[in-house]
Amino acid sequence: MVKNTRRWLDQMVIGLNLCPFSHSVLAQDQVYYAICDANTDAQLKQFYVHELQRLLGADENDIATSLLMFPQGLAVFDDYLDLLNWFQQLLEQAELTEHVQLASFHPQYQFEGVAADDLSHFTNRSPYPTIHLLRQAQMTKALAHVVDPEQIYEDNIKTLNKLGRQQVESLCPWGK
């Protein structure tokens, strides 16, 4: 599972420069990969809280960011979105939004209001349902050097469109 996720990061995220901030933390081995085997809401909450504590308790040079992977029970994108919303609410209730933000990835990721066959969805398609825990302070520092953060997303779409469906789907076969 980690091997497949790492391949996706290397080929899609770094290889296509979909996230210009990811290269250094991957190169410095500062990404923590957590695989969730929880089956109940209580276990999911416990897993999430534990991983939040792990990230916030670690030196950012050791764990800069965490990827929480969910290999079971979240194949349906709407079920995944429900979990993501629940995790966001927990983050807000714990008053941790100034420290951590969530990014979302799923094999069938689909942006609301965008045609189902649009290549833009592949910017957030990963081999497994994944929630990315990002340190807010690191994002603030990284974005301080970016004139127009929205341009990153627009450039990503241009990159995927330039590659074309066949090549994008070959890099991301789970997202067909």
Side-chain angles (χ1 to χ4, degrees):
M1 178 172 249
V2 172
K3 183 179 175 183
N4 289 338
T5 297
R6 182 60 198 236
R7 186 178 313 118
W8 162 67
L9 292 169
D10 289 340
Q11 292 178 348
M12 289 286 290
V13 178
I14 293 174
L16 299 179
N17 198 32
L18 298 181
C19 177
F21 319 117
S22 60
H23 183 268
S24 64
V25 295
L26 283 163
Q28 296 174 41
D29 198 27
Q30 296 173 315
V31 178
Y32 186 82
Y33 302 88
I35 300 169
C36 181
D37 60 1
N39 293 318
T40 67
D41 285 351
Q43 290 171 330
L44 283 166
K45 182 178 179 180
Q46 183 179 7
F47 171 79
Y48 179 59
V49 169
H50 178 76
E51 294 307 325
L52 278 172
Q53 290 172 337
R54 180 191 314 271
L55 178 68
L56 294 172
D59 184 294
E60 71 180 55
N61 293 314
D62 295 327
I63 300 176
T65 192
S66 297
L67 291 174
L68 313 183
M69 297 169 286
F70 300 87
Q72 58 191 13
L74 296 174
V76 175
F77 185 56
D78 285 339
D79 293 343
Y80 167 82
L81 289 178
D82 290 343
L83 180 70
L84 179 67
N85 287 333
W86 189 49
F87 282 4
Q88 181 63 37
Q89 289 173 2
L90 290 173
L91 196 64
E92 291 168 9
Q93 289 169 0
E95 297 181 355
L96 290 174
T97 56
E98 66 186 46
H99 301 288
V100 177
Q101 67 174 274
L102 306 180
S104 58
F105 303 93
H106 189 278
Q108 299 304 313
Y109 200 96
Q110 185 155 340
F111 292 103
E112 189 174 342
V114 177
D117 65 344
D118 197 286
L119 286 178
S120 66
H121 305 301
F122 284 85
T123 63
N124 287 61
R125 288 195 176 167
S126 59
Y128 310 98
T130 301
I131 296 176
H132 187 181
L133 304 180
L134 298 127
R135 293 178 187 264
Q136 187 66 40
Q138 284 182 322
M139 287 306 301
T140 300
K141 279 190 258 182
L143 288 172
H145 305 290
V146 177
V147 176
D148 183 8
E150 281 297 312
Q151 190 64 42
I152 295 169
Y153 175 71
E154 292 170 18
D155 289 345
N156 289 347
I157 294 170
K158 287 177 189 173
T159 296
L160 296 180
N161 285 325
K162 185 176 177 182
L163 284 175
R165 178 163 305 281
Q166 186 175 357
Q167 189 165 356
V168 170
E169 287 181 354
S170 73
L171 289 169
C172 189
W174 54 83
K176 292 180 184 180

